[in-house]
């Protein structure tokens, strides 16, 4: 929880926004769902549902802010990775694990991203792309360029790489029911996620290697 | 349109099911959406909305039957591909193009698959996996095995390959808004789809090659 402003004031304390986000995050994690009502969030956070409107306008605004909160941590790590003195292949491997670990840490995040990218409110779609997809794509493009400059990677279209790798990572989380019914895997066991991350990282690196 | 049974009978003609499926397919294609009402379908097909209930129980049943119709053609082609006397790498290339062309031919199909795989009706999820995901995964596994037996491919887990490749293909269709807002690509131009299919096919082949 982030205590942005602890002083007592007649306006809602600014940390009530962080409390609401933490409450909705916990509810969605427990339910393994993206369905939640404003009164659920109010009850779990001991705050008034009117505060949601004050901070986030409506439920979609609250969910968008939750994605922003979770994405900020992941994007900060990715931007540090770009600056690290590591071999280009090693950075791609860490990046792929980072995507998969971010989805694993916030079980609702993958579904929520998809739902908000489908929002009927075009402003929501634009905002989500601006604070999440574009910075992610920009950092990825930097990783690709570093590899090309080091003589390790061939030139590929960053958009192709983005679509293929995020699509491959997404599918693991999106397809739990298919793993169950089509592959006979009733639930994600220890090590399955790591094994898949390794497969995708290997695939990404081979797609980038010269020759 | 499939005329299964052209004889006049007091029961609804069996081809009315095919007519309803064709009507809903046309409506969803025109709207570039998966939203449709039973009365829209009835009006477009000049058939009674009660026929939808007779053939498909409800709207979700109608949409599931549409996916089944579209998937059958794609799966028949894939099963022929398994039997063709081509090099394993060539078959993978054709398979990836096949997935992407199937989604392109039926613009609603990718979204509809995702929505139905998320259905609250577990029977729908189970059925969709049984008639679509499992046969697709089985045919893919055969392509992988052929490559291993020919000495061209290393052993990979078919589930990993399935998730990574279908995920990569899906993302192109799922991400139209991100292409617009994050990559500055306002719409899918000629050749973009083919270029992406080639990228994914190359990636798949490199992931499978020995060494």
């Amino acid at each position: 929880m982030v205590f942005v402003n602890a002083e007592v004031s007649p306006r809602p304390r600014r940390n009530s926004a962080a409390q609401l986000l933490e409450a909705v995050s916990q509810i969605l994690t427990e339910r393994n769902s993206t369905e939640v009502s404003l009164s659920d969030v109010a009850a779990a956070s001991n705050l008034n549902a009117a505060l949601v409107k004050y901070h986030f306008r409506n439920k979609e605004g609250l969910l968008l802010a939750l994605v922003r909160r979770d994405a900020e941590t992941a994007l900060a790590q990715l931007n540090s990775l770009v600056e690290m003195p590591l071999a280009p292949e090693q950075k791609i491997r860490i990046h792929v694990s980072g995507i998969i670990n971010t989805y694993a840490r916030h079980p609702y995040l993958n579904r929520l991203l998809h739902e908000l990218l489908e929002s009927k409110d075009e402003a929501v779609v634009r905002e989500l792309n601006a604070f999440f997809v574009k910075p992610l794509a920009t950092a990825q493009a930097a990783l690709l360029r570093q590899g090309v400059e080091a003589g390790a990677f061939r030139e590929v279209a960053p958009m192709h790489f983005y679509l293929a790798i995020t699509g491959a990572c997404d599918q693991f989380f999106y397809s739990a029911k298919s793993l169950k019914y089509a592959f006979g895997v009733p639930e994600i066991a220890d090590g399955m996620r790591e094994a898949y991350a390794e497969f995708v990282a290997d695939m990404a690196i081979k797609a980038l290697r010269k020759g």
Side-chain angles (χ1 to χ4, degrees), chain A residues 17-68:
Chain A
Q19 277 176 262
L20 289 166
L21 292 177
E22 187 52 31
V24 69
S25 171
Q26 282 181 16
I27 292 169
L28 296 184
T29 301
E30 278 160 23
R31 290 188 188 165
N32 192 20
S33 160
T34 56
E35 281 177 39
V36 65
S37 73
L38 293 190
S39 53
D40 292 337
V41 177
S45 59
N46 289 315
L47 292 171
N48 193 302
L51 268 178
V52 174
K53 299 208 168 112
Y54 174 82
H55 286 298
F56 307 110
R57 283 210 319 158
N58 53 32
K59 192 168 80 178
E60 203 168 54
L62 174 69
L63 295 174
L64 187 66
L66 176 63
V67 170
R68 187 194 286 266

Side-chain angles (χ1 to χ4, degrees), chain A residues 6 15 19 28 151 154-155 196 199 204:
Chain A
N15 72 25
Q19 277 176 262
L28 296 184
R154 68 191 180 100
E155 295 267 5
Y196 184 64
F199 179 83

Side-chain angles (χ1 to χ4, degrees), chain A residues 58-204:
Chain A
N58 53 32
K59 192 168 80 178
E60 203 168 54
L62 174 69
L63 295 174
L64 187 66
L66 176 63
V67 170
R68 187 194 286 266
R69 183 198 78 161
D70 296 343
E72 265 171 9
T73 314
L75 289 170
Q77 287 171 342
L78 177 56
N79 286 324
S80 314
L81 179 64
V82 171
E83 301 307 324
M84 281 180 194
L86 295 171
E89 288 196 2
Q90 182 65 8
K91 290 192 184 190
I92 295 293
R93 194 170 291 284
I94 294 169
H95 171 46
V96 169
S97 293
I99 297 175
I100 287 184
N101 290 338
T102 299
Y103 285 141
R105 194 156 41 237
H106 309 290
Y108 51 82
L109 185 59
N110 183 266
R111 183 111 344 135
L112 207 49
L113 275 169
H114 280 273
E115 286 176 14
L116 293 171
L117 284 169
E118 296 285 296
S119 170
K120 288 189 185 12
D121 183 348
E122 197 74 5
V124 167
V125 178
R126 220 181 295 124
E127 207 179 326
L128 181 52
N129 274 287
F131 76 68
F132 180 64
V133 180
K134 197 165 182 176
L136 170 55
T138 303
Q140 268 190 352
L143 294 178
L144 299 185
R145 200 167 48 246
Q146 290 173 344
V148 171
E149 283 168 7
F153 294 166
R154 68 191 180 100
E155 295 267 5
V156 305
M159 191 177 87
H160 288 172
F161 186 82
Y162 168 84
L163 292 172
I165 298 308
T166 61
C169 293
D170 277 20
Q171 196 78 323
F172 185 79
F173 295 90
Y174 216 86
S175 302
K177 291 287 178 65
S178 293
L179 298 193
K180 181 174 169 185
Y181 291 124
F183 290 94
V185 174
E187 57 184 48
I188 310 293
D190 280 355
M192 275 181 61
R193 205 172 68 227
E194 290 77 4
Y196 184 64
E198 201 181 316
F199 179 83
V200 176
D202 278 340
M203 184 180 79

